[in-house]
């Protein structure tokens, strides 16, 4: 079976981890052809002993729910009772914690049909799985895959000695956070100015909004950290440590989140085995800005308490290994308690699944949990939950799942020179790039600088690298975009917002053009481009305008409007022209030629002054759309306004 | 009585005729430069003040936006989101020569030349700028106070580092 690991590590460990190969269970599944075997969706290898995840059909679910006792044989379905008895089952419990506030939608999405069956661990797992698969009322049998946890080492930050005279913020480490604002000096001779997420300009317009909650599904977040505490989500309906589920959400004493490993509200970051990964990721999303302490976060506010909020939905904890069951629960908790973004810097090793269908069928309960998160609307500004994953650090030409799935966002990593980091996965399934650092090529400070628990770094701050560190940059920019939408009173569907996020990029392929050894590997494979926070806010603000000269054939490169010329965006040429521009707009603008798309250029001739709209469809990440039997990009549509005028000031001024 | 009736009839006919003339005027607003009828535009007025683009080429639903402040010392401040969706601040000087309004941005780039007309009696006041050389390029600007948040958030055109200006030209 697969291993799941978080995707952050130092240069020292990278060499070891890149070579880490996951198990693959395809050989075990081949040859199983009878009906019961098809219900078993994964392998028992690397699975937790003495436990099975079962998805019953509705009939069995009702029978279990209506029983008056809690006996394992409480249902009136005799074959099920017999199978449970034969495997020595000790408990049959609903997998997802029941949150009475959201039970209706839970049932609508079928999550109530997932159960955990525990039995004597001496009983052979596969034998038990097959026994339950033979019961007609069982739809899915999933072994509870153990998630391997790769420890992440850190390079502690040196104490800042100087501060830039003029800065957007007063946080002392901001000058070393090249990933936010890269001046082109101070980190490494190869660093390039502007190779960052461009927060400094974006912060002129928006720095965050506390109504936007980002769930860090990862190791526990140090909610006492001086640079995180003010931006931690606080469950206002819960009273800390009173042993009572005050808000009746099914979780007792969940103040800043929930530890799904220990099944309590004690978020942990300082147990043996904890490595600060979740705290580091959280700081990149929303360390408190302008508080005169430590570092900045992408959506950390301006120091007045207006940063986005961090919820710790703890997946990894100490030495305890995560499981498929735990990860699914982490998404459900985040959705039911208000999160709008799921920040996930972990995933399966790349190549262990090679098609969307493969992932969907084999990751049963995780897939259902993520889908639930996507469908829950927790903010007025977006119609569902946004899910971002790290692409993985295997250095392979294929992104790891779950992020590689066409409906999720997979984030690749770049260094301070704007080039792909040596470890990043790329290619099929990759959607967008962000700074993840490259300490192998650019030294310790070439990593991403963020918050850490003091048991990991005495100063509370340090460097890490990985797609794990790239992903929270993208999550932070998404959170910034949602905050800006809130301020403007704008509302978007999940699809619309995802499209805007994927188009909020700078060109990455052009940077590689002069380096054949790099471009030959990565061109067109890093996603739509490097994420740019200012572009995100621009996309939220409104529809970009394309200027078309009146009375002349215009051939306008659309790529600057679809992510600044990233070559792996394919503007689809085969659309019916009627879907590009309405007949009314054509008449209004006196269109005599086009509009049509060729080689990513809009070709159109307009004879009348005025404005209209065109809708352009494109594929973000790869040359073809994602599909069940393979991997690919995400198909989206972008609306552009066309302004036809007889000319325009060369400096862009309206007059 | 008959004389009185005749007088009333003549007055009614005159009024109807006046309506008919107005109704048949091909220059009536609603197309290019709509909002006010041409009979309400004149060459007399002052451009000094703060204005917002409320109509362009006959349409009031615009994907772009522009606020223009024309100061008494012949300087101007222009806040726009046109080719960029974010607000960008331009400044420079303008001049009015008869009914021709033109200007120069602080970077030396010249405005286009516009013919300016002033609303006679509309409230709030409006100005109509028709671009010389393109009679379809007509912008109606309405007197307003430029919102403080737009002034605050606008990026200086000369300071935009990356994308707001150069990438969209």
């Amino acid at each position: 079976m697969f291993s799941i690991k978080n995707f952050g590590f130092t240069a020292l460990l990278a060499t070891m981890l890149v070579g880490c190969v996951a198990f693959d269970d395809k050989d075990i599944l081949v040859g199983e052809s009878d009906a019961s075997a098809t219900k078993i969706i994964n392998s028992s290898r690397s699975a937790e002993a003495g436990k099975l995840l079962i998805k019953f059909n509705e009939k069995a679910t009702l029978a279990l729910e209506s029983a008056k006792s809690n006996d394992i044989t409480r249902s009136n379905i005799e074959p099920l009772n017999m199978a449970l008895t034969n495997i020595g089952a000790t408990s049959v419990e609903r997998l997802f914690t029941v949150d009475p506030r959201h039970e209706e939608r839970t049932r609508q999405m079928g999550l109530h049909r997932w159960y955990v069956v525990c039995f004597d661990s001496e009983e052979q797992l596969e034998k038990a799985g097959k026994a339950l698969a033979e019961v007609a009322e069982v739809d899915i049998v999933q072994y509870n895959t153990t998630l391997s946890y790769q420890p992440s080492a850190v390079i502690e930050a040196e104490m800042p000695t100087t501060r830039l005279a003029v800065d957007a913020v007063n946080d002392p480490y901001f000058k070393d956070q090249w990933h936010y604002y890269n001046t082109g000096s101070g980190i490494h001779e190869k660093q390039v100015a502007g190779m960052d997420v461009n927060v400094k300009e974006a912060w002129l317009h928006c720095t965050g909004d506390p109504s936007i909650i980002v769930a860090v599904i990862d190791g526990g977040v140090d909610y006492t950290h001086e640079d995180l505490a003010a931006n931690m989500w606080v469950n206002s309906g819960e009273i800390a440590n009173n042993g009572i589920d005050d808000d009746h959400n099914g979780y007792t004493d969940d103040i800043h989140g929930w530890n799904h490993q220990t099944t309590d509200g004690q978020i942990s970051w300082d147990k043996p085995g904890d490595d600060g990964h979740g705290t580091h990721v959280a700081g990149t999303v929303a360390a408190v800005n302008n508080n005169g302490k430590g570092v900045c976060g992408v959506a950390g506010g301006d120091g007045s308490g207006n940063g986005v909020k961090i919820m710790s939905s703890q997946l990894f904890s100490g030495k305890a290994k995560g499981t498929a069951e735990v990860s699914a629960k982490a998404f459900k908790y985040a959705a039911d308690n208000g999160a709008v973004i799921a920040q996930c810097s972990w995933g399966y090793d790349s190549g262990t699944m090679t098609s969307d269908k493969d992932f969907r069928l084999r990751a049963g309960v995780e897939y259902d949990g993520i889908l639930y998160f996507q469908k829950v609307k927790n903010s007025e500004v977006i119609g569902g939950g946004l899910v971002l994953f790290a692409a993985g650090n295997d250095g392979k030409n294929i992104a790891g799942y779950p992020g590689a799935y066409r409906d999720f966002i997979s984030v690749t990593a770049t260094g301070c020179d704007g080039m792909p980091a040596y470890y990043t996965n790329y290619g099929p399934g990759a959607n967008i790039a962000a700074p993840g650092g490259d300490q192998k090529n650019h030294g310790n400070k070439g990593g991403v600088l963020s918050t850490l628990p003091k048991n990991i770094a005495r100063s509370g701050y340090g460097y890490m690298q990985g797609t794990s560190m790239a992903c929270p940059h993208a999550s932070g920019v998404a959170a910034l975009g949602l905050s800006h939408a809130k301020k403007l009173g704008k509302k978007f569907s999940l699809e619309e917002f995802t499209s805007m996020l994927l188009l909020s990029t700078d060109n990455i392929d052009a940077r590689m053009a002069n380096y054949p050894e790099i471009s030959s590997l990565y061109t067109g494979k890093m996603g739509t481009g490097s994420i740019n926070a200012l572009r995100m806010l621009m996309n939220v603000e409104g529809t970009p305008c394309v200027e078309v000269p009146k009375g002349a054939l215009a051939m306008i490169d659309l790529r600057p409007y679809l992510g600044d010329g990233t070559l792996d965006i394919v503007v689809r040429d085969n659309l019916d022209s009627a879907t590009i521009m309405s007949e009314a707009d054509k008449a209004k603008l006196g269109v005599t030629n086009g509009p049509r798309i060729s080689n990513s250029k809009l070709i159109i001739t307009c004879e009348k002054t005025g404005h209209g709209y065109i809708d352009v469809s494109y594929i973000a990440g790869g040359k073809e759309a994602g599909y069940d039997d393979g991997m690919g990009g995400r198909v989206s549509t972008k609306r552009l306004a066309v302004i036809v005028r007889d000319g325009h000031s060369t400096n862009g001024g309206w007059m | 009585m008959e004389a009185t009736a005749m007088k009333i009839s003549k007055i009614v006919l005159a009024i109807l005729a006046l309506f008919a003339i107005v109704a048949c005027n091909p220059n009536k607003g609603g197309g290019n430069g709509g909002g006010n009828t041409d009979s309400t535009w004149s060459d007399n007025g002052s451009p000094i003040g703060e204005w917002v683009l409320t109509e362009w080429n006959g349409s009031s639903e615009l994907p772009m936006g522009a606020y223009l402040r024309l100061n008494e010392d012949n300087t101007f401040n222009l806040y726009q989101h046109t080719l960029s969706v974010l607000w960008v601040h331009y400044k420079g000087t303008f001049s009015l020569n008869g009914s021709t309004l033109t200007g120069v941005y602080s970077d030396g780039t010249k405005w286009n030349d516009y013919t300016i007309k002033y609303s006679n009696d509309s409230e709030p006041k409006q100005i109509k700028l028709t671009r010389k050389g393109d009679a379809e390029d007509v912008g109606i600007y309405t007197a307003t106070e430029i919102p403080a948040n737009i002034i605050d958030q606008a990026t200086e055109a000369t300071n935009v580092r990356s994308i707001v200006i150069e990438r969209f030209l």
Side-chain angles (χ1 to χ4, degrees):
Chain A
M1 189 47 199
F2 328 109
S3 65
I4 290 186
K5 64 188 182 197
N6 65 12
F7 289 150
F9 51 87
T10 66
L12 183 63
L13 288 176
T15 312
M16 296 187 293
L17 297 183
V18 165
C20 181
V21 178
F23 298 122
D24 192 329
D25 63 351
K26 283 179 179 173
D27 53 335
I28 293 172
L29 293 178
V30 169
E32 301 272 8
S33 58
D34 60 290
S36 64
T38 61
K39 295 180 183 178
I40 303 174
I41 62 172
N42 61 346
S43 159
S44 63
R45 293 172 69 177
S46 300
E48 185 178 5
K51 184 180 278 189
L52 288 168
L53 314 180
I54 305 295
K55 192 171 190 180
F56 290 109
N57 67 12
E58 198 64 51
K59 176 187 171 187
T61 306
L62 286 173
L64 288 165
E65 289 176 343
S66 58
K68 292 179 180 174
S69 74
N70 205 32
D71 295 340
I72 58 157
T73 56
R74 61 185 181 272
S75 80
N76 57 6
I77 301 169
E78 208 45 49
L80 174 60
N81 292 338
M82 190 176 297
L84 291 170
T85 302
N86 288 342
I87 67 171
T90 54
S91 68
V92 181
E93 303 292 341
R94 265 178 71 163
L95 188 150
F96 291 101
T97 302
V98 176
D99 183 341
R101 305 169 306 171
H102 305 300
E103 179 64 2
E104 184 178 347
R105 72 186 184 200
T106 300
R107 302 184 79 86
Q108 284 173 350
M109 293 189 60
L111 296 195
H112 66 299
R113 295 199 283 126
W114 278 104
Y115 275 72
V116 177
V117 173
C118 294
F119 51 92
D120 183 351
S121 60
E122 296 298 315
E123 184 70 24
Q124 281 189 10
L125 200 53
E126 288 183 31
K127 184 179 170 187
K130 286 177 181 175
L132 282 172
E134 287 173 359
V135 177
E137 288 77 12
V138 168
D139 282 349
I140 292 175
V141 174
Q142 181 173 2
Y143 297 110
N144 193 24
T145 309
T146 301
L147 315 181
S148 68
Y149 187 79
Q150 302 287 356
S152 300
V154 300
I155 303 297
E156 183 161 353
E158 299 168 3
M159 287 304 290
T161 54
T162 59
R163 187 177 300 174
L164 294 180
V166 178
D167 246 336
V169 289
N170 63 11
D171 305 73
Y173 282 117
F174 179 65
K175 68 180 180 61
D176 293 323
Q177 292 186 289
W178 60 266
H179 33 103
Y180 295 162
Y181 187 67
N182 191 338
T183 62
S185 65
I187 302 297
H188 190 270
E189 61 184 13
K190 289 184 178 176
Q191 80 179 101
V192 178
M195 299 298 105
D196 52 43
V197 294
N198 199 16
V199 291
K200 204 168 172 181
E201 276 188 84
W203 286 341
L204 294 172
H205 306 278
C206 183
T207 57
D209 187 286
S211 71
I212 304 301
I213 301 169
V214 180
V216 173
I217 299 178
D218 203 302
V221 177
D222 177 0
Y223 56 81
T224 66
H225 194 288
E226 63 174 4
D227 220 5
L228 289 172
N231 281 348
M232 287 302 301
W233 171 73
V234 177
N235 183 357
S236 58
E238 196 75 7
I239 299 168
N241 302 318
N242 69 351
I244 298 169
D245 179 16
D246 302 286
D247 62 353
H248 307 293
N249 69 346
Y251 304 86
T252 299
D253 293 341
D254 57 322
I255 302 299
H256 300 294
W258 189 254
N259 186 332
H260 300 278
Q261 278 287 349
T262 57
T263 63
D264 59 32
Q266 300 300 310
I267 303 298
S268 67
W269 58 87
D270 55 359
K271 300 286 188 294
D274 286 330
D275 66 354
H277 191 268
T279 301
H280 198 275
V281 162
T284 301
V285 175
V288 181
N289 294 340
N290 213 30
N291 60 350
K293 297 174 184 173
V295 294
C296 289
V298 174
D302 61 8
S304 66
N306 59 350
V308 302
K309 295 299 182 186
I310 297 293
M311 172 195 289
S312 185
S313 194
Q314 187 167 357
L315 172 59
F316 303 107
S317 181
K319 292 179 179 176
K321 293 181 176 180
T323 62
E325 173 197 3
V326 169
S327 68
K329 287 178 170 178
F331 283 99
K332 176 78 162 50
Y333 176 86
D336 284 345
N337 290 282
V340 291
I341 294 174
Q343 151 55 40
C344 310
S345 285
W346 47 271
Y348 299 103
D349 289 337
S350 65
T352 52
M353 297 182 219
T354 55
S355 75
D356 284 2
K357 184 179 180 182
D358 198 13
F359 164 72
R360 197 173 61 246
L361 293 180
R362 297 162 81 184
V365 73
E366 304 102 295
Y367 179 72
D368 280 3
I370 300 171
L371 276 195
Y372 181 85
F373 183 86
Q374 282 193 308
K375 290 188 184 262
V376 170
K377 179 178 177 177
N378 277 325
S379 169
E380 60 191 308
V381 300
I382 187 167
L386 201 59
V387 181
L388 297 98
F389 281 94
N393 302 326
D394 310 293
K396 290 182 180 175
N397 185 11
I398 182 172
Y401 281 92
Y405 190 70
R406 58 182 179 263
D407 289 336
F408 313 147
I409 297 170
S410 174
V411 185
T412 59
T414 57
C416 63
D417 57 355
M419 299 292 182
Y422 72 95
Y423 53 79
T424 188
N425 287 339
Y426 54 100
N431 295 121
I432 197 166
D438 187 337
Q439 292 172 308
K440 179 181 175 184
N441 289 310
H442 305 134
N444 290 341
K445 285 190 166 185
V448 168
L449 177 55
S450 186
T451 47
L452 282 166
K454 290 198 171 180
N455 59 300
I456 302 296
R458 282 174 299 175
S459 66
Y461 304 94
Y463 295 89
M464 297 176 81
Q465 68 169 1
T467 52
S468 277
M469 282 65 244
C471 189
H473 281 85
S475 294
V477 170
L480 209 54
L482 292 174
S483 300
H484 200 48
K486 174 84 183 300
K487 185 173 79 175
L488 298 175
K490 297 205 168 189
K491 298 173 182 175
F492 301 100
S493 68
L494 180 60
E495 175 63 34
E496 287 170 336
F497 192 84
T498 302
S499 174
M500 292 193 302
L501 181 69
L502 294 177
L503 292 181
S504 301
T505 55
D506 290 330
N507 195 319
I508 192 170
D509 291 344
R511 295 177 206 148
M512 297 187 260
N514 294 328
Y515 304 91
E517 72 282 9
I518 296 175
S519 60
S520 62
L521 277 178
Y522 297 103
T523 296
K525 294 180 176 178
M526 288 291 284
T528 54
S530 298
I531 196 160
N532 182 319
L534 182 60
R535 283 189 179 280
M536 177 83 254
L537 302 192
M538 288 173 65
N539 277 324
V540 169
E541 285 264 353
T543 304
C545 298
V546 179
E547 188 186 4
V548 172
K550 180 181 172 183
L553 175 67
M555 296 180 65
I556 297 169
D557 191 347
L558 286 177
R559 291 174 297 182
Y561 304 92
L562 300 177
D564 188 26
T566 46
L567 300 177
D568 52 353
I569 290 179
V570 180
V571 179
R572 300 170 79 191
D573 291 353
N574 58 349
L575 290 177
D576 181 341
S577 62
T579 65
I580 297 177
M581 179 178 262
S582 71
E583 292 301 324
D585 276 356
K586 284 182 186 175
K588 186 169 76 174
L589 298 180
V591 175
T592 57
N593 181 15
R596 56 194 165 85
I597 306 293
S598 179
N599 294 325
S600 299
K601 287 187 171 63
L602 169 67
I603 298 174
I604 190 169
T605 304
C606 301
E607 302 292 346
K608 296 180 180 176
T609 301
H611 77 273
Y613 296 92
I614 61 170
D615 293 315
V616 178
S617 184
Y618 67 95
I619 299 169
K623 298 294 182 190
E624 59 182 336
Y627 58 107
D628 253 11
D629 294 326
M631 300 171 71
R634 185 184 176 95
V635 179
S636 296
T637 299
K638 179 71 177 176
R639 168 158 281 207
L640 305 171
V642 176
I643 297 178
V644 183
R645 271 186 123 184
D646 217 4
H648 207 85
S649 295
T650 54
N651 67 356
W654 174 248
M655 299 301 291
Chain B
M1 288 292 287
E2 275 190 14
T4 305
M6 283 289 284
K7 273 186 181 177
I8 292 172
S9 298
K10 282 180 181 177
I11 291 170
V12 169
L13 283 172
I15 292 170
L16 287 174
L18 184 62
F19 273 120
I21 289 168
V22 170
C24 293
N25 186 343
N27 294 324
K28 183 186 175 189
N32 292 344
N36 273 317
T37 64
D38 268 5
S39 62
T40 65
W41 296 107
S42 79
D43 293 331
N44 300 316
S46 170
I48 304 303
E50 296 187 354
W51 310 93
V52 60
L53 178 67
T54 49
E55 188 177 317
W56 183 66
N57 189 244
S59 174
S60 58
E61 293 183 5
L62 304 173
M64 66 289 197
Y67 286 90
L68 178 63
R69 180 194 295 138
L70 299 171
N71 302 307
E72 290 191 359
D73 63 357
N74 280 53
T75 60
F76 75 85
N77 297 89
L78 171 65
Y79 301 88
Q80 67 171 55
H81 74 84
T82 53
L83 302 184
S84 161
V85 294
L86 295 180
W87 291 96
V88 180
H89 176 217
Y90 291 83
K91 55 189 177 184
T93 58
F94 73 94
S95 62
L96 183 62
N97 185 7
S99 62
T100 299
L101 180 70
T102 189
V104 180
Y105 293 98
S106 58
D107 66 358
T109 306
K110 291 183 178 177
W111 285 16
N112 297 287
D113 289 348
Y114 294 92
T115 299
I116 186 169
K117 288 187 177 294
Y118 309 90
S119 63
N120 281 330
D121 50 8
S122 70
E123 191 59 43
K125 291 283 189 187
Q126 292 182 314
I127 55 175
K128 180 167 72 170
L129 303 183
T130 304
R131 186 172 177 165
K132 292 200 171 180
D134 185 0
E136 291 181 333
D137 191 339
V138 181
I140 305 291
Y141 295 76
T142 302
T144 189
E145 185 175 342
I146 301 175
N149 65 320
I150 287 177
I151 295 173
D152 289 344
Q153 70 179 258
T155 305
E156 292 298 323
T158 52
N159 289 344
V160 176
R161 185 182 82 182
S162 55
I163 54 176
V164 176
I165 299 300
E166 66 263 31
R167 302 279 169 79
F168 285 104
L169 289 178

